[in-house]
Amino acid sequence: MDYNRRIQKVKKMMEGKADYLIVGPSSNMLYLTGFVEEPMERPILLVLGDRDFMLAPRMYMEQLSDLPIELQTYNDGEDPYSYLNLRKGASLVVDDSLWSAFLIEIVNRFLPSNLLRGSVLMKKLRAIKDREEIEIMMEGLGIAEASFHDLINMIKEGETECEVGRKLEMIFAEHGVVPSFSTISTSGPNTSMPHLRCTDRRIRKGDIIIVDFGVKYRGYSTDTTRVLSLGSPSKEVMEIWSIVDEAVNLAEKVQFGLSGREIDNIPRKLIEEKGYGKYFIHRTGHGIGIDVHEDPYISSDNLEVVERGSTFTIEPGIYIPGRFGIRLEDMVIMNEKINRMNSLSRELYVI
Amino acid sequence: MDYNRRIQKVKKMMEGKADYLIVGPSSNMLYLTGFVEEPMERPILLVLGDRDFMLAPRMYMEQLSDLPIELQTYNDGEDPYSYLNLRKGASLVVDDSLWSAFLIEIVNRFLPSNLLRGSVLMKKLRAIKDREEIEIMMEGLGIAEASFHDLINMIKEGETECEVGRKLEMIFAEHGVVPSFSTISTSGPNTSMPHLRCTDRRIRKGDIIIVDFGVKYRGYSTDTTRVLSLGSPSKEVMEIWSIVDEAVNLAEKVQFGLSGREIDNIPRKLIEEKGYGKYFIHRTGHGIGIDVHEDPYISSDNLEVVERGSTFTIEPGIYIPGRFGIRLEDMVIMNEKINRMNSLSRELYVI
C-alpha cells in the first residue's frame, strides 16, 4: 500500500477546509500509515498540518521505526499534549472514532474555532477501493464462506445460540482469522432482534437460526448473513424468507448512478408492497472495508450517488416481534452495475 | 448488579460539577446499565441530567426492553440529536471513549460552556470493586491460567509467534471465553517491543517467548504475562529474568497507603540500582476490571493513594532493543496490603 500517496491525498483535501487533521488509533490510522493499535488511554495521534507526525508513547519507538512519517514519542508520566503545538483558534478535523477524552484535552488546551468530523474527509477517500483492497476482501470473504460451510453440518439440536456462534469463531481461528465483529447467532423468537448477539437459549426442532458473521483478514472486514432452519420451516417462515430474498435480488440488479437513499428504497418498496413495511426496521446496508460499517451507507439519509469501486452490503430484513425475523445479507461492489462479491448460496439452509 | 444504585451514585457525584453526563457504548455504559454494544456510527447514548434516558436506534427497542432507565429510540434516517434537548451553555461530562464524531455533533449543536472527561467521575466509582466483581474476576483469571497451562505443552519449534497466540485464543474459545485483548506472543529479539502483538517469525531453539494474555469473562477482564524459553535460557536471560521477578516480588509486598507513583517507584528503583533503569520504558501497572486498562494507574503521574478494593497489575519489564525483553505481570488487589490474584507460577517456563 502506498501510504505516502494517501497522506498527500488527504492533505490536499484539507486545503482551505481545515488546519489540522487529528487521527487516533483507528481504521483511518491504518489506512494512512499502515499502523494500528487498539484504542487505549495513552494517546497515539497522527497529526497532519504544518508538521506531519505521529505522537506515541516511547515504548512504541522500536515498533514504529518504519513509519511513513516522523515519529514523536513521550514518556509515561510526561504530558503528551505539550508536543502537539496546535495554533490556538485553528480549525480541526477529528477522526470520528477518536476518544472524546483526547478531544476534550485538545479543545480545552488549544481552543479551536471549528471542529469537523473526520469522516467528512476520509469517507470519500476510503469508500472507493483499489484493486489490492478488493482482492484482499475477496480472499477474506472466501475464508468466511468456507467457515460457514463447515459450520452448517456441526449445528446440533439442544445447543445454545452462543455455542453455535463460538463454534463458528473457532473455525475462523483454525483458518487463521478473527471475527470482524461478535458473531450474531440467534434462534426462534430471538431472531426478531436484529442486533442481539446470542443467548443461552437452546436450539429446538422447528427453529430458524440467523447467523450474521464476518472475518478480519489482512486488515479488511467481511459481513454476511444467512438463515438456517432446524427441520422443515413453517409456511410463514418460507413466505417471509421469499420476500426478503426477492428484496435482495431486486437491489442487486441496480445500475450505477443511484444514491444511497434510492438504493435503500428498492427493497423497502417491495417489502412495503407485501405488507411488511413496518417490520423492516433498519437501513438496507452499509459500506464495508477496513471497518465493518463505513461509507457509503445505503440508507434514506444518504443523498449522494454510490460511487464506482464502493463495496457495501445489501441486507434487508423483516422482524416480527415475539415471533421471528429474517435477514439476508450479501456483500456487493458498485461497478457499471452492482456485482455480488459472495459466492455462498443465499438459500434457506434446512439442517 | 444493582444498576439503579450505581446511576444514583454517579448522579450524586455530578451535583455542582456538571449538568449532564453523556456515556457511549462502553464499559461505563455496561457498568451503569448492564447493556453494552460495540461502538458504531449510530449513536447509542446514555444521558443523565434533568432527564435520565438511553437514546438508541429503534432496532434495539425489543432488546432494551428491561433497561433500568427510560428508552428513547430513533429511526434510521432520523436526526438522533434532536432528542437530546441539552440546555445551551451547559456543563458536560463526557465518557472518555465516546467517539469524537458524537461529541462534535453535540458541541456544535448545544454549545456547552465546559467539557469534562468522564473518567473524572467514573474512575473512583469503578476502581473500587465489590465482592461480586472480584468473584467474577477470580473465576475469569482461573480460566485464563488453565488455558495458559494447556498452551505450554503445545508450543513447538518452527511455529510462528502468531500461531502460538492463535493456539491460546482457540483454547480460550474451548473454555467459552474470548480474549480481553489481542494476545501478545513474541519471541527472540521481538520481545524487546512490549506492545508488538506477534509476527510470522518462527520460534527457534534458544528463544525466549513472552506471552501476555487475558480473557473476557462475564464482562470482566484479566491480564497476565509469563516468559517461556525454548531450550535452556542463556545466563543473560536468567539474570534479567531474576531482576524482573524480584521487582514484582518487591511491589507485591506493598502495604496500603501508597500512591500510584510511590508503588510505581518500587520496582523502578530496584531495576535502576541493577543498572537497567533506561530499559524499563513503561509504567509499573494499570487498574483492571471491565476494561483491561482503567484506574488506578501505577505510574509516576498518579499521585493519589491506591484505594482498598482496587484491582490492578504489577508488570515491570526490561527491554534491550535488538536483543530481548522480559516482562512479568501479575494481577493484584489492594487490601490492608497487596494480595496476589494469580495462582499461576511466575517461573521462567523452560519447554
Side-chain angles (χ1 to χ4, degrees):
Chain A
M1 309 273 182
D2 188 347
Y3 299 113
N4 265 311
R5 208 176 131 259
R6 291 179 176 176
I7 288 174
Q8 292 317 315
K9 240 182 174 170
V10 77
K11 289 201 71 169
K12 189 128 199 120
M13 292 166 78
M14 282 167 64
E15 282 171 15
K17 275 207 192 83
D19 301 309
Y20 300 100
L21 170 64
I22 298 177
V23 177
S26 69
S27 52
N28 286 329
M29 184 177 280
L30 181 65
Y31 186 83
L32 291 171
T33 70
F35 174 75
V36 74
E37 176 53 282
E38 290 169 27
M40 53 158 185
E41 74 292 349
R42 288 185 183 99
I44 299 184
L45 301 172
L46 170 69
V47 181
L48 302 182
D50 36 29
R51 174 186 170 210
D52 302 334
F53 65 104
M54 177 84 97
L55 180 71
R58 187 177 147 219
M59 61 190 286
Y60 287 87
M61 192 149 65
E62 197 181 351
Q63 193 176 340
L64 288 175
S65 58
D66 56 358
L67 207 64
I69 60 162
E70 187 196 346
L71 175 66
Q72 170 69 60
T73 64
Y74 62 90
N75 290 316
D76 275 354
E78 238 188 326
D79 170 25
Y81 303 97
S82 64
Y83 291 104
L84 286 184
N85 266 324
L86 307 185
R87 279 196 315 281
K88 290 241 162 96
S91 172
L92 308 186
V93 187
V94 182
D95 202 6
D96 274 38
S97 69
L98 181 76
W99 280 15
S100 287
F102 306 133
L103 180 57
I104 289 173
E105 295 289 344
I106 290 168
V107 164
N108 288 343
R109 195 173 298 218
F110 300 105
L111 310 169
S113 61
N114 195 14
L115 293 174
L116 285 165
R117 291 175 58 154
S119 49
V120 173
L121 295 184
M122 297 302 299
K123 71 180 186 180
K124 288 220 174 248
L125 201 57
R126 284 191 34 199
I128 298 167
K129 271 69 181 177
D130 63 25
R131 179 190 297 261
E132 191 179 355
E133 292 179 288
I134 290 165
E135 279 172 7
I136 292 172
M137 289 173 75
M138 291 297 287
E139 276 176 43
L141 192 53
I143 295 170
E145 294 191 333
S147 303
F148 177 79
H149 247 297
D150 291 349
L151 174 73
I152 296 172
N153 303 312
M154 291 168 66
I155 299 176
K156 293 190 194 77
E157 194 179 347
E159 278 184 323
T160 69
E161 294 169 356
C162 290
E163 282 167 353
V164 171
R166 279 203 294 268
K167 243 183 217 180
L168 182 59
E169 295 186 354
M170 283 182 63
I171 299 170
F172 290 164
E174 284 164 17
H175 282 99
V177 291
V178 294
S180 50
F181 56 90
S182 282
T183 303
I184 293 176
S185 56
T186 52
S187 66
N190 286 343
T191 55
S192 68
M193 290 174 269
H195 266 211
L196 182 70
R197 302 291 160 170
C198 66
T199 74
D200 289 334
R201 180 182 187 279
R202 292 185 189 283
I203 295 168
R204 294 191 295 260
K205 265 270 177 293
D207 279 348
I208 60 162
I209 306 156
I210 286 191
V211 185
D212 187 343
F213 62 100
V215 305
K216 198 95 185 166
Y217 175 74
R218 293 180 58 196
Y220 284 77
S221 301
T222 80
D223 189 4
T224 300
T225 307
R226 292 294 182 264
V227 182
L228 304 96
S229 174
L230 194 64
S232 299
S234 70
K235 226 185 104 189
E236 195 188 3
V237 163
M238 278 307 301
E239 190 197 316
I240 303 283
W241 176 85
S242 303
I243 296 168
V244 176
D245 185 56
E246 197 186 332
V248 177
N249 264 331
L250 263 185
E252 292 186 356
K253 289 209 173 73
V254 160
Q255 304 286 316
F256 169 75
L258 299 194
S259 68
R261 182 194 184 93
E262 287 165 326
I263 301 175
D264 176 74
N265 201 42
I266 288 168
R268 196 168 303 283
K269 219 178 121 205
L270 175 81
I271 290 171
E272 276 165 11
E273 283 167 7
K274 299 283 187 181
Y276 293 97
K278 70 170 176 168
Y279 298 123
F280 180 13
I281 55 178
H282 56 67
R283 63 193 174 204
T284 291
H286 52 82
I288 183 163
I290 298 176
D291 285 319
V292 181
H293 291 184
E294 59 179 49
D295 283 285
Y297 291 97
I298 311 302
S299 64
S300 61
D301 56 353
N302 179 9
L303 306 183
E304 289 173 34
V305 167
V306 173
E307 296 290 349
R308 293 186 188 86
S310 308
T311 48
F312 54 93
T313 67
I314 296 287
E315 49 174 316
I318 295 176
Y319 308 93
I320 308 175
R323 305 285 314 285
F324 68 92
I326 300 275
R327 175 175 66 265
L328 293 167
E329 176 182 26
D330 276 346
M331 282 173 62
V332 301
I333 179 164
M334 179 62 82
N335 293 314
E336 287 317 306
K337 60 178 282 301
I338 283 182
N339 291 115
R340 203 167 164 238
M341 296 173 77
N342 289 84
S343 14
L344 184 68
S345 162
R346 216 166 49 225
E347 71 193 87
L348 177 54
Y349 292 85
V350 180
I351 54 173
Chain B
M1 308 273 182
D2 188 347
Y3 299 112
N4 264 312
R5 207 176 131 258
R6 290 178 176 178
I7 288 174
Q8 291 319 315
K9 238 181 175 171
V10 76
K11 288 201 70 169
K12 188 127 200 122
M13 292 166 79
M14 282 167 63
E15 282 172 16
K17 275 207 192 83
D19 301 310
Y20 300 99
L21 170 64
I22 298 176
V23 177
S26 68
S27 52
N28 285 328
M29 184 178 280
L30 181 64
Y31 186 82
L32 291 171
T33 70
F35 174 75
V36 74
E37 176 54 281
E38 290 169 26
M40 53 159 185
E41 74 292 348
R42 289 185 184 99
I44 299 184
L45 301 172
L46 170 68
V47 182
L48 301 182
D50 36 29
R51 175 186 170 210
D52 301 335
F53 65 103
M54 177 85 95
L55 180 71
R58 187 176 145 219
M59 60 190 288
Y60 286 88
M61 191 149 65
E62 198 182 351
Q63 193 176 339
L64 288 176
S65 57
D66 56 358
L67 207 63
I69 60 161
E70 187 196 346
L71 175 66
Q72 170 69 59
T73 64
Y74 62 90
N75 290 316
D76 275 354
E78 238 187 324
D79 171 25
Y81 303 96
S82 64
Y83 292 104
L84 286 184
N85 266 325
L86 308 184
R87 278 196 316 281
K88 291 239 161 96
S91 172
L92 308 187
V93 187
V94 181
D95 201 6
D96 274 38
S97 70
L98 181 76
W99 280 16
S100 287
F102 306 135
L103 180 57
I104 289 173
E105 296 289 343
I106 290 167
V107 165
N108 288 342
R109 196 173 298 217
F110 300 105
L111 310 169
S113 60
N114 195 16
L115 294 175
L116 286 165
R117 291 175 58 155
S119 50
V120 173
L121 294 184
M122 297 302 299
K123 72 180 187 182
K124 287 220 174 247
L125 201 56
R126 284 191 36 199
I128 299 168
K129 271 68 180 177
D130 63 26
R131 179 191 295 259
E132 192 179 354
E133 292 179 290
I134 290 165
E135 279 172 8
I136 292 172
M137 289 173 74
M138 291 297 288
E139 276 176 44
L141 191 54
I143 295 170
E145 294 191 333
S147 302
F148 178 79
H149 247 297
D150 291 349
L151 174 73
I152 296 171
N153 302 313
M154 292 167 65
I155 299 177
K156 292 191 195 76
E157 194 179 348
E159 277 183 323
T160 69
E161 294 169 356
C162 289
E163 281 167 354
V164 171
R166 278 203 293 270
K167 244 183 215 177
L168 182 59
E169 295 186 354
M170 284 182 62
I171 299 171
F172 290 164
E174 284 163 17
H175 281 99
V177 292
V178 295
S180 51
F181 57 90
S182 281
T183 303
I184 293 176
S185 56
T186 52
S187 66
N190 286 344
T191 55
S192 68
M193 291 175 268
H195 266 211
L196 182 70
R197 301 291 160 170
C198 65
T199 74
D200 288 334
R201 181 182 186 280
R202 292 184 188 284
I203 294 167
R204 293 192 295 259
K205 266 268 177 292
D207 279 348
I208 60 162
I209 306 156
I210 286 192
V211 186
D212 187 344
F213 62 100
V215 305
K216 198 94 186 165
Y217 174 73
R218 293 181 57 197
Y220 283 77
S221 301
T222 80
D223 189 3
T224 300
T225 306
R226 292 295 182 263
V227 181
L228 304 96
S229 173
L230 193 63
S232 299
S234 69
K235 226 186 105 189
E236 194 188 5
V237 164
M238 277 308 300
E239 189 198 317
I240 303 282
W241 176 86
S242 303
I243 297 169
V244 176
D245 185 57
E246 197 186 333
V248 177
N249 264 331
L250 263 186
E252 291 185 357
K253 289 210 172 73
V254 160
Q255 303 286 316
F256 169 76
L258 298 194
S259 68
R261 181 193 185 94
E262 287 165 327
I263 301 176
D264 176 76
N265 200 42
I266 288 168
R268 195 169 303 282
K269 221 179 120 205
L270 174 81
I271 290 171
E272 276 165 10
E273 283 167 9
K274 300 283 185 181
Y276 292 97
K278 69 169 177 167
Y279 298 123
F280 179 14
I281 55 178
H282 56 68
R283 65 192 173 203
T284 291
H286 53 80
I288 183 163
I290 298 177
D291 285 319
V292 181
H293 291 185
E294 59 179 49
D295 283 283
Y297 291 97
I298 310 303
S299 65
S300 60
D301 56 353
N302 179 10
L303 305 183
E304 289 173 34
V305 167
V306 174
E307 296 291 349
R308 292 184 186 88
S310 309
T311 48
F312 54 93
T313 67
I314 296 288
E315 49 174 315
I318 295 175
Y319 309 92
I320 308 175
R323 305 284 314 284
F324 68 92
I326 300 274
R327 175 175 65 263
L328 293 167
E329 177 183 26
D330 276 346
M331 281 173 63
V332 301
I333 181 165
M334 180 61 84
N335 293 315
E336 287 317 307
K337 61 176 283 300
I338 282 182
N339 291 115
R340 203 168 165 237
M341 297 173 77
N342 289 84
S343 16
L344 183 68
S345 161
R346 216 166 47 226
E347 71 193 90
L348 177 55
Y349 292 85
V350 180
I351 52 174

